[in-house]
Amino acid sequence: MNSVIHLDNQDDKSLRQKAFRKQFADNLNAALDRRGAIPAGYGRVTAVAELFRVSQNSAANWLRGDGVPELARLPEIAETLNTTVEQLIIGAQGTGANVIDERYTVVDIHGGSEDEAHALYLLPEALRELGLPRGVTAMKVSADDMDPYLRPGDVVFYDPRVTRIHANGVYMLRIHGALVVRRVQRGTVDGLRLICDNERFGSESLPETALESDNIEVVGHVVGRLLVGR
């Protein structure tokens, strides 16, 4: 289940930001330990400052958890330390959206399987501009059953907090273990109608009680699309 951080309390927000900066510092120090040849203590501050061409004050802040680098520096830092941006920020493989120092948001993006997720980094203002809620998750589309609404290579954003069909719309469903996007209509004679936009694929009608079975599950409500090459 994806974790969600709500930024509605100023004190809680400050504590979360402090915790994330501390987490980054722990991950950075662990990466430096693995790299070797970089001393601990004050010598590490000097080494990091020289390695990444920053002031010793900035290096000390990174290592203590009092600050984090600019977003644009993270790929360079990760490559130099033979690690990944995800490991520097999140540590062990995780899921969910995390706000780091109020400057960017980490969004999980996966393929047809949720087992292998990668991180998509968006500025908070980018989320607002796109009309996407915090806590959103993304999936890269590989099938053409929802063409032209979604084509292979497009990215669909969905809110995993929605686990019921509350109104007609487009939803992420898990059917017999596979993740699919379907346009859902409710209130029909047959209960629910799952629609593929691509006319080559048939639609399906089923009773609403089918959502209570082990074979079909509402994973989220689709809230946005990234149309690649269009």
Side-chain angles (χ1 to χ4, degrees):
M1 177 62 69
N2 291 35
S3 59
V4 180
I5 296 175
H6 298 284
L7 303 183
D8 51 358
N9 184 288
Q10 199 67 28
D11 292 336
D12 289 346
K13 179 173 67 176
S14 177
L15 289 174
R16 284 193 293 269
Q17 291 169 0
K18 183 177 180 180
F20 280 124
R21 289 193 289 269
K22 177 61 166 59
Q23 180 176 274
F24 174 84
D26 291 344
N27 295 335
L28 176 62
N29 278 288
L32 290 166
D33 290 339
R34 291 193 298 270
R35 186 179 189 272
I38 296 180
Y42 184 76
R44 174 161 289 189
V45 172
T46 302
V48 169
E50 293 177 353
L51 187 61
F52 298 113
R53 303 177 303 282
V54 297
S55 68
Q56 293 200 10
N57 184 57
S58 292
N61 286 339
W62 296 357
L63 294 166
R64 286 196 306 260
D66 292 333
V68 294
E70 294 293 331
L71 174 61
R73 297 294 309 273
L74 291 178
E76 171 201 349
I77 294 171
E79 182 177 3
T80 301
L81 298 181
N82 193 30
T83 185
T84 66
V85 173
E86 290 89 342
Q87 286 292 322
L88 283 176
I89 297 176
I90 303 173
Q93 178 71 28
T95 60
N98 303 318
V99 176
I100 309 297
D101 206 24
E102 283 195 295
R103 283 184 290 181
Y104 49 92
T105 303
V106 183
V107 177
D108 280 346
I109 179 169
H110 59 82
S113 168
E114 295 168 290
D115 294 336
E116 294 188 5
H118 304 281
L120 180 66
Y121 299 91
L122 294 174
L123 292 171
E125 52 264 34
L127 286 178
R128 290 193 296 270
E129 181 69 22
L130 294 171
L132 299 176
R134 293 191 185 277
V136 70
T137 300
M139 184 182 82
K140 186 175 181 180
V141 176
S142 59
D144 64 348
D145 49 4
M146 288 297 290
D147 188 11
Y149 180 77
L150 291 169
R151 293 174 179 169
D154 290 346
V155 175
V156 60
F157 295 91
Y158 64 95
D159 188 343
R161 294 169 295 185
V162 178
T163 56
R164 298 182 64 86
I165 304 296
H166 54 83
N168 292 347
V170 183
Y171 291 84
M172 181 72 67
L173 305 174
R174 183 181 290 108
I175 301 178
H176 297 292
L179 289 175
V180 298
V181 177
R182 290 292 183 269
R183 196 175 301 279
V184 180
Q185 289 182 351
R186 65 179 307 174
T188 65
V189 175
D190 296 320
L192 294 175
R193 188 169 177 234
L194 309 185
I195 302 170
C196 297
D197 282 10
N198 190 332
E199 296 180 355
R200 294 194 299 107
F201 296 82
S203 300
E204 181 179 3
S205 296
L206 67 163
E208 291 202 32
T209 54
L211 297 178
E212 302 172 5
S213 72
D214 294 332
N215 294 327
I216 182 168
E217 175 187 359
V218 180
V219 177
H221 179 229
V222 172
V223 294
R225 299 170 291 160
L226 175 61
L227 307 181
V228 178
R230 287 192 273 166

